[in-house]
């Protein structure tokens, strides 16, 4: 749910061949990072390019512990060995898709994650130059900062031989997220790992991939309005305490959501997605038209609808792409009619791969 610095850019659909990745039942690691190699590694590439996908966090009742990766939207990072950069340091040479992001790596999501990954790998003798291509608008509820952080962490790791596991890459990304808006893994974990991810624990960090069946169709309908919803503002709206009935209800619905994911039950997933009684009721009134958008989506045939992350994007689910396009138009209409906001809708599949290497030039 974290965001970096505020800017607006159009959502850019991305198309390239997907790859497969080996899944591990559960990942455990300490809730802090340190150097993982005692000897310095030699780079295996002179330059690499990586991609990390957009993410949908919370998924209704799964506040701060459930998230999913979205195919076809995200950020790219190009990274190269640069003799002009001081050894052990990284510089951001170019940022496209944003006129407001800081080029200072200490205040940029990609830069922070790259530095954290370099420390883990004990990189001291090589300076790196980083280019960031933003495909996601910040403050949209689509995990923009996590996409930048995940792409940067993977780029550094791949440049030096891919020695770190996904758990360590998530920690490197968390270093970035923590400095931006808090220690929350429900965007960065699926951005790195792909698919649905359950954060079982934060101390120590435990990540559980939730495997949605390959033979089942699932489409996310994303309606993103021209409206800014800063994470800190949206978090400030949340209650400090909740009653036992709402606690029990949300726990049961989060359990139902996890079961639906594992069973490939899109109808059940949608029903659970729409069931949050704690977070959504507080945030929806802060996003003009959101309540009407949810009603319009469900009336048009969506199995469920909620706020993506901190918003303002609304996310609905369906099992048919063409139906999803029709539902998306109804959501756009509702944002305009009830919220007086222009918006754009896209229908996207689940990204099952997560952050990955796109290309590399061998050394």
């Amino acid at each position: 749910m974290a965001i970096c610095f505020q800017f607006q850019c159009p959502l850019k659909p991305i198309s390239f061949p997907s790859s497969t990745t080996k899944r591990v039942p559960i990942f455990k690691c300490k809730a802090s990072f340190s150097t993982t190699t005692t000897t310095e590694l030699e780079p295996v590439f002179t330059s690499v390019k990586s991609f990390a996908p957009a993410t949908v966090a919370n998924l209704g009742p799964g506040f701060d512990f459930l998230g999913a990766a979205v195919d076809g939207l995200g950020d790219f990072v190009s990274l190269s060995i640069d003799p002009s950069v001081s050894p052990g340091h990284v510089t951001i040479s170019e940022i496209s898709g944003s006129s407001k992001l800081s080029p200072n790596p200490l205040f940029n999501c990609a830069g922070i994650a790259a530095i954290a990954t370099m420390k883990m790998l004990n990189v001291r003798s090589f300076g790196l130059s980083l280019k960031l291509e933003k495909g996601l608008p910040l403050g949209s509820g689509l995990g923009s900062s996590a996409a930048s952080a995940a792409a940067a962490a993977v780029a550094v790791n791949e440049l030096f031989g891919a020695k770190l596991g996904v758990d360590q890459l998530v920690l490197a990304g968390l270093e970035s997220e923590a400095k931006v808006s808090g220690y929350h893994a429900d965007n960065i974990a699926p951005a790195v790992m792909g698919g649905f991810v359950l954060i079982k624990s934060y101390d120590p960090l435990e990540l559980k991939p939730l495997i949605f069946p390959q033979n089942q169709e699932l489409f996310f309908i994303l309606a993103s309005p021209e409206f800014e919803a800063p994470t800190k503002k949206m978090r400030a709206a949340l209650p400090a305490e909740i009653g036992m009935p709402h606690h029990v209800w949300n726990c049961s619905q989060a359990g139902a959501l996890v079961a639906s994911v594992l069973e490939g039950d899109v109808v059940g997933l949608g029903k659970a997605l729409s069931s949050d009684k704690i977070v959504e009721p507080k945030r929806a009134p802060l996003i003009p038209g959101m309540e009407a958008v949810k009603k319009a989506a469900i009336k048009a045939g969506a199995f469920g609808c909620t706020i993506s992350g901190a918003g303002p994007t609304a996310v609905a689910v369906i099992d048919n792409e063409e139906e999803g396009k029709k539902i998306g138009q109804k959501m756009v209409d509702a944002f305009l009619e009830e919220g007086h906001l222009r918006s754009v809708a896209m229908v996207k599949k689940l990204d099952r791969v997560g952050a990955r290497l796109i290309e590399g030039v061998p050394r």
Side-chain angles (χ1 to χ4, degrees):
M1 293 176 295
I3 59 173
C4 295
F5 304 90
Q6 300 165 0
F7 81 105
Q8 292 294 328
C9 70
L11 293 173
K12 300 176 182 178
I14 298 162
S15 178
F16 45 78
S18 59
S19 59
T20 57
T21 182
K22 185 177 180 180
R23 296 277 185 175
V24 180
I26 191 166
F27 302 96
K28 297 182 180 181
C29 52
K30 295 180 180 179
S32 62
F33 74 90
S34 58
T35 300
T36 59
T37 58
T38 55
T39 58
E40 187 168 7
L41 300 173
E42 288 288 323
V44 297
F45 295 101
T46 58
S47 65
V48 295
K49 185 173 185 178
S50 62
F51 168 81
T55 47
V56 173
N58 298 341
L59 299 170
F63 178 70
D64 274 6
F65 64 86
L66 285 172
V70 178
D71 183 54
L73 297 171
D75 290 357
F76 291 93
V77 163
S78 297
L79 191 72
S80 60
I81 300 171
D82 190 339
S84 69
V85 178
S86 300
H89 291 74
V90 61
T91 185
I92 298 178
S93 59
E94 182 181 332
I95 299 174
S96 60
S98 166
S99 61
K100 296 183 179 179
L101 283 172
S102 173
N104 185 333
L106 298 177
F107 299 100
N108 181 288
C109 297
I112 296 169
I115 292 169
T117 309
M118 291 174 71
K119 289 181 179 178
M120 287 181 172
L121 292 170
N122 196 28
V123 176
R124 303 188 309 271
S125 301
F126 300 92
L128 306 179
S129 178
L130 184 152
K131 295 181 180 180
L132 173 62
E133 298 175 44
K134 290 298 299 178
L136 295 172
L138 299 183
S140 62
L142 292 172
S144 180
S145 65
S148 296
V154 166
V156 174
N157 189 42
E158 293 288 344
L159 193 73
F160 289 92
K163 302 299 183 181
L164 302 178
V166 293
D167 54 342
Q168 294 163 308
L169 295 176
V170 170
L171 279 179
L174 267 176
E175 178 74 5
S176 172
E177 297 283 78
K179 291 182 178 179
V180 172
S181 68
Y183 195 81
H184 313 292
D186 48 349
N187 285 116
I188 189 64
V192 170
M193 299 165 65
F196 288 90
V197 180
L198 166 69
I199 293 86
K200 290 185 63 178
S201 167
Y202 277 95
D203 189 11
L205 183 67
E206 296 187 19
L207 309 171
K208 175 68 176 179
L210 304 175
I211 311 303
F212 188 83
Q214 289 278 357
N215 61 345
Q216 296 294 325
E217 292 280 16
L218 169 64
F219 294 93
F220 295 104
I221 309 159
L222 305 167
S224 299
E226 294 180 353
F227 184 78
E228 196 174 289
T231 299
K232 290 183 179 179
K233 176 182 177 181
M234 301 305 279
R235 279 190 170 272
L238 302 182
E241 298 180 352
I242 60 172
M244 183 61 73
H246 283 177
H247 164 70
V248 172
W249 171 261
N250 265 42
C251 286
S252 69
Q253 295 308 300
L257 193 150
V258 169
S260 296
V261 169
L262 297 176
E263 294 171 356
D265 178 5
V266 185
V267 175
L269 170 59
K271 186 176 180 180
L273 188 85
S274 296
S275 67
D276 176 27
K277 290 187 177 181
I278 297 174
V279 178
E280 184 185 312
K282 298 296 183 181
R283 287 179 166 174
L286 302 179
I287 304 171
M290 179 58 73
E291 293 167 328
V293 169
K294 179 174 182 175
K295 291 179 181 178
I298 294 174
K299 183 178 180 180
F303 298 147
C305 181
T306 190
I307 303 170
S308 177
T313 294
V315 56
V317 293
I318 194 69
D319 59 0
N320 181 280
E321 185 174 11
E322 290 305 313
E323 288 300 313
K325 292 178 181 178
K326 297 176 184 177
I327 294 167
Q329 185 57 54
K330 295 295 184 181
M331 295 168 74
V332 168
D333 293 343
F335 261 130
L336 185 60
E337 294 170 8
E338 300 296 330
H340 307 292
L341 296 175
R342 291 184 299 177
S343 61
V344 60
M346 303 185 78
V347 182
K348 295 295 179 182
K349 288 187 175 183
L350 177 72
D351 184 306
R352 298 176 182 269
V353 181
R356 61 267 206 183
L357 179 69
I358 299 299
E359 59 188 42
V361 178
R363 193 172 182 219

